[in-house]
Amino acid sequence: SKDFEEKIPIRYESNLFLLRKKNLYGFIDAKEKIGFKPKFKQLEYFFNSYDFKYGKKHYLFFEENDKKGLVDGNGNILLEAIYNDIKKEYRYLKVINETQLGIFFLTTNKVVFSDFNKIKTSIALDNNFVMVLVENTQDNSYFYIGENGVIFKN
């Protein structure tokens, strides 16, 4: 028997589909090279990015108890479903957990929370190491967070 009952085309993505079995959802590409069996009650395709090392990487939202989480195209959970919001920015995702603001690095799958409440910009160094400039508006301090999770303060 098939692992799914319905193949739902993903809008704006010609070769990608959500899979439905009863009330659970999974994901697959047309070549059936990547994907996972239906296992999430709520699943939504988010975006993909191209990485020279890893090729095309897919990201999908899943939801539990009105909170968002993130899975990759193989169904690996990158972020548990504890976030009120997840927004795509250049080279990183902005994650909001209750009142806290965090950064999820797409290059390393690391999520970082610290004493900042504003994200300014991201930069990539010569070796493609990604850093994000953040601000704490309460004391007007600025510092960088690296894709390895290290916080660089003066």
Side-chain angles (χ1 to χ4, degrees), residues 3-4 9 15 29 46 51 59 66 91 97 108 112 119 142:
D3 289 327
F4 60 92
N15 298 319
D29 70 344
F46 189 20
D51 182 296
Y59 298 92
D66 291 329
R91 301 193 189 97
N97 178 0
T108 56
V112 180
I119 301 173
Y142 292 85

Side-chain angles (χ1 to χ4, degrees), residues 35-154:
F36 53 90
K37 290 176 185 176
K39 60 179 178 175
F40 296 105
K41 283 206 174 100
Q42 281 179 296
L43 188 67
E44 184 189 330
Y45 192 76
F46 189 20
F47 73 101
N48 60 65
S49 65
Y50 189 81
D51 182 296
F52 288 110
K53 266 198 297 223
Y54 308 107
K56 202 170 190 183
K57 288 162 67 172
H58 299 273
Y59 298 92
L60 299 93
F61 284 137
F62 70 103
E63 274 188 44
E64 285 169 8
N65 307 319
D66 291 329
K67 299 279 179 146
K68 282 184 176 173
L70 193 71
V71 292
D72 67 15
N74 296 312
N76 301 309
I77 293 177
L78 304 176
L79 288 171
E80 295 292 340
I82 55 172
Y83 299 95
N84 300 8
D85 203 10
I86 300 174
K87 285 197 167 71
K88 184 177 184 312
E89 302 290 343
Y90 188 51
R91 301 193 189 97
Y92 68 93
L93 303 180
K94 180 167 136 182
V95 296
I96 296 162
N97 178 0
E98 299 303 332
T99 57
Q100 252 198 318
L101 182 61
I103 295 167
F104 175 82
F105 288 94
L106 294 166
T107 41
T108 56
N109 291 346
K110 273 195 194 307
V111 65
V112 180
F113 287 93
S114 183
D115 56 341
F116 62 89
N117 57 3
K118 198 170 185 185
I119 301 173
K120 304 297 281 183
T121 186
S122 72
I123 57 165
L125 306 180
D126 293 342
N127 57 358
N128 280 331
F129 185 88
V130 174
M131 294 180 78
V132 174
L133 177 64
V134 296
E135 180 186 0
N136 179 330
T137 56
Q138 274 135 0
D139 63 6
N140 287 325
S141 62
Y142 292 85
F143 54 95
Y144 282 98
I145 300 174
E147 65 176 21
N148 54 359
V150 174
I151 292 166
F152 300 89
K153 291 191 176 184
N154 294 0

